[in-house]
Amino acid sequence: MAAPTTETSWDGYVSGWSNSHDGYDPRHAGPLLRKWLRAAFTVGGMLARFGARPAYAMTVAVACAVLVPVLAARGGSWPALAAVVLVLGLAADTVGQTLAVLLGRTSRLASFYRTMIDRLSEVCWLVALASLGAQRTLLLACAAMVWLHEYIRARAGAVGLRAAGSATIGDRPTRAWLTLLSLLLAAASTAQVGPDLAAGVVTMVLVLWFSLAVLGLGQLLTVVRKVLT
């Protein structure tokens, strides 16, 4: 396929995105994700015209990921700002992928770097929740489930399972939404009662995180067994 340009149409962008994401077609995504990717397409197109490169957006994504626990640890209403920064980091990540498609700079190496940034972000999210008083054993259990989930997906991908066909309820989008919810509830709880309530609320959200991770792992193992047998 010819390298896309900044004038790529939405259909051309979708085709490029699908080629760089194991055949995943954004047109078949849910309405919220379609709107998110549409917005990234618009923003990415404008940035590309001004000479922006995927690496710029990835740098912003990393900076935002590191800032999340730094801000959350300040307590009070700061976790709400950490939530805003988390969303900005996710947006930067998506725009970076969009720029890569529009500029024809998708590659396996770029995909590897993006995966590393995703895992770094999730570590930062868990550190942020730890700073808010979340139960440490539960935090470690959630971290272990994330590692196990992604390890199984990577190993299955190495023997032929496409990532687009292995989406589960315990994937990164769910982790991001639960972290965002935790930060916002922590800020509200601290303002209304104090840090003890914030710690309890965050721990309860982590229970939901762990439960969905277990369900997601079951889904993933079922897909792997059906596809690879």
Side-chain angles (χ1 to χ4, degrees):
M1 184 181 73
T5 71
T6 57
E7 301 302 323
T8 300
S9 66
W10 169 249
D11 287 338
Y13 166 72
V14 166
S15 176
W17 182 280
S18 179
N19 289 337
S20 62
H21 289 77
D22 291 323
Y24 180 76
D25 190 333
R27 289 170 296 196
H28 299 156
L32 184 60
L33 181 55
R34 286 201 304 270
K35 290 179 180 178
W36 178 266
L37 292 177
R38 272 280 189 181
F41 171 67
T42 301
V43 173
M46 290 188 295
L47 291 176
R49 293 187 187 96
F50 286 99
R53 295 294 180 265
Y56 302 168
M58 293 297 100
T59 300
V60 173
V62 171
C64 287
V66 173
L67 271 176
V68 168
V70 173
L71 294 172
R74 296 177 67 89
S77 60
W78 285 94
L81 181 57
V84 173
V85 172
L86 187 153
V87 173
L88 290 176
L90 293 174
D93 181 27
T94 308
V95 168
Q97 296 178 57
T98 297
L99 284 168
V101 172
L102 293 176
L103 299 173
R105 297 195 175 188
T106 57
S107 66
R108 288 183 296 177
L109 181 60
S111 178
F112 171 79
Y113 286 145
R114 189 173 66 247
T115 299
M116 293 300 99
I117 291 173
D118 288 349
R119 301 292 81 78
L120 170 66
S121 298
E122 288 160 357
V123 169
C124 290
W125 299 347
L126 289 172
V127 171
L129 300 186
S131 72
L132 294 172
Q135 212 276 335
R136 299 301 173 88
T137 302
L138 187 55
L139 275 167
L140 292 174
C142 288
M145 289 301 296
V146 171
W147 175 85
L148 185 59
H149 200 114
E150 298 303 330
Y151 176 77
I152 291 174
R153 174 176 283 127
R155 295 306 305 160
V159 293
L161 178 64
R162 296 169 64 182
S166 62
T168 75
I169 196 172
D171 281 350
R172 177 175 164 80
T174 299
R175 300 166 203 157
W177 279 113
L178 291 176
T179 305
L180 182 64
L181 177 63
S182 296
L183 293 171
L184 293 175
L185 289 177
S189 300
T190 301
Q192 294 296 321
V193 178
D196 289 341
L197 178 60
V201 167
V202 171
T203 296
M204 290 184 65
V205 175
L206 276 175
V207 171
L208 179 59
W209 176 324
F210 182 77
S211 301
L212 293 177
V214 171
L215 291 174
L217 184 61
Q219 288 179 310
L220 180 60
L221 290 173
T222 299
V223 170
V224 169
R225 187 155 92 53
K226 286 181 177 179
V227 173
L228 301 184
T229 54

